[in-house]
Amino acid sequence: MEKIKQLLRSSNFKLTPQREVVLEVLLENEEGHLSADDVYMLVKKKVPEIGLATVYRTLELLSELNIIQKLYFGENVARYEFRSDSDDHHHHHLECINCGKVEEIDEDWLGIIEEKVEKQYDFKVIDHRLTFQGICSRCKTKDN
Amino acid sequence: MEKIKQLLRSSNFKLTPQREVVLEVLLENEEGHLSADDVYMLVKKKVPEIGLATVYRTLELLSELNIIQKLYFGENVARYEFRSDSDDHHHHHLECINCGKVEEIDEDWLGIIEEKVEKQYDFKVIDHRLTFQGICSRCKTKDN
DNA sequence: GTTTTTGCAAACAATTTGCAGGGAT
DNA sequence: ATCCCTGCAAATTGTTTGCAAAAAC
């Protein structure tokens, strides 16, 4: 948290209460895959006079600073999550097509595959995104 | 193409000229990752009086029949591509963050990984989506 | 005191929906 | 004749922008 504030300051952005609250909400829901609107709702509980546009602008800003990243799952709604600290990216998603829940898993699986991509396709890999769609354990047992 | 028409008929949907043209366009641009609007533009050249809503409805229909599938790359615009015939899904994307081009690659890499997911996370995998972001070979040589 | 940032409302873009007319069976 | 499908326009949804006032440094 402190280093994020540091980063903001050093990039000549001002540390406003609104930005702090957005960060706070993101930290409190780290596994949440929140949409801009989700963040807005949560932030509004703490600072009711905040505007939706400010939330969007803050999320945009944090994305540009590479603090968070914007993802799309099955819908056309952007969701945001913290970018992992390390520059290797071993972090994937399990998306339940029944209940819509998105779970995170953290495994180092794609290292060899990335190498193959770089060699076979002459493609410089910077990041990747891996999502599995299926039925989560809870929905499997509920059997609906 | 014929089997698709068959499938439509057997699901009690009518094979209208509009639907045929949409399919035609999709087939002609199989590697294109077209958005609804792209399809609309292309279809309009053949059948100028077609409506955008019809295109959306047709794409929706084809998605439900599992003929095509709806994907989101970095933006909030849905793009559509044919679903591979086989029920194994060995088909991934290379998305260039410089020129925006999306290339397809067809490799069987995730079989073992899917098994791990099923076991370790008790998650029934139905499909997956793997996209690599990076710099494509053309942009690498152009060096801009 | 400047320069950013905010909140509001209006603008925008992608997609969906309601509905009356048209077409296929 | 019925039921499905289309085209149009209006409605919705998610996101962005213009601008004057307010806040940060």
Side-chain angles (χ1 to χ4, degrees), chain B residues 15-69:
Chain B
L15 183 55
T16 65
Q18 289 89 332
R19 288 178 180 167
E20 276 197 82
V21 184
V22 168
L23 265 170
E24 213 177 293
V25 162
L26 286 172
L27 280 166
E28 286 166 10
N29 298 67
E30 210 160 337
E31 302 285 286
H33 299 294
L34 303 178
S35 67
D37 213 70
D38 296 335
V39 174
Y40 179 55
M41 297 308 194
L42 291 166
V43 156
K44 231 173 150 53
K45 286 187 196 161
K46 305 182 178 217
V47 186
E49 67 276 16
I50 201 171
L52 177 55
T54 303
V55 171
Y56 273 104
R57 282 186 282 231
T58 304
L59 292 171
E60 174 70 20
L61 175 64
L62 295 174
S63 292
E64 270 164 24
L65 293 175
N66 264 318
I67 295 167
I68 60 176
Q69 83 189 103

Side-chain angles (χ1 to χ4, degrees), chain B:
Chain B
M1 184 61 160
E2 272 318 311
K3 42 185 175 172
I4 296 174
K5 293 188 185 174
Q6 209 57 50
L7 180 56
L8 270 181
R9 233 176 310 246
S10 67
S11 314
N12 271 332
F13 292 110
K14 296 192 173 155
L15 183 55
T16 65
Q18 289 89 332
R19 288 178 180 167
E20 276 197 82
V21 184
V22 168
L23 265 170
E24 213 177 293
V25 162
L26 286 172
L27 280 166
E28 286 166 10
N29 298 67
E30 210 160 337
E31 302 285 286
H33 299 294
L34 303 178
S35 67
D37 213 70
D38 296 335
V39 174
Y40 179 55
M41 297 308 194
L42 291 166
V43 156
K44 231 173 150 53
K45 286 187 196 161
K46 305 182 178 217
V47 186
E49 67 276 16
I50 201 171
L52 177 55
T54 303
V55 171
Y56 273 104
R57 282 186 282 231
T58 304
L59 292 171
E60 174 70 20
L61 175 64
L62 295 174
S63 292
E64 270 164 24
L65 293 175
N66 264 318
I67 295 167
I68 60 176
Q69 83 189 103
K70 200 179 184 177
L71 300 173
Y72 290 85
F73 296 101
E75 347 122 290
N76 60 346
V77 185
R79 302 191 167 274
Y80 300 84
E81 68 175 40
F82 277 95
R83 209 169 235 291
S84 45
D85 276 8
S86 50
D87 45 358
D88 43 26
H89 24 277
H90 308 140
H91 163 204
H92 315 303
H93 292 108
L94 302 182
E95 183 184 351
C96 180
I97 59 175
N98 189 54
C99 67
K101 193 171 175 308
V102 178
E103 198 183 336
E104 295 197 358
I105 61 182
D106 211 351
E107 303 271 1
D108 179 10
W109 283 333
L110 296 188
I112 321 107
I113 292 179
E114 286 196 0
E115 279 172 38
K116 281 195 212 167
V117 170
E118 304 227 352
K119 278 189 196 120
Q120 283 176 231
Y121 297 92
D122 188 26
F123 184 91
K124 170 73 192 147
V125 174
I126 290 172
D127 199 358
H128 67 238
R129 212 132 299 163
L130 174 57
T131 305
F132 293 94
Q133 283 91 6
I135 313 288
C136 72
S137 54
R138 205 143 59 85
C139 288
K140 255 165 52 181
T141 48
K142 271 194 298 183
D143 189 59
N144 50 359

Side-chain angles (χ1 to χ4, degrees), chain A residues 72-77 95 102 131 133, chain B residues 70-72 78 129:
Chain A
Y72 289 85
F73 297 102
E75 346 122 291
N76 60 346
V77 185
E95 183 185 353
V102 177
T131 305
Q133 283 90 7
Chain B
K70 200 179 184 177
L71 300 173
Y72 290 85
R129 212 132 299 163

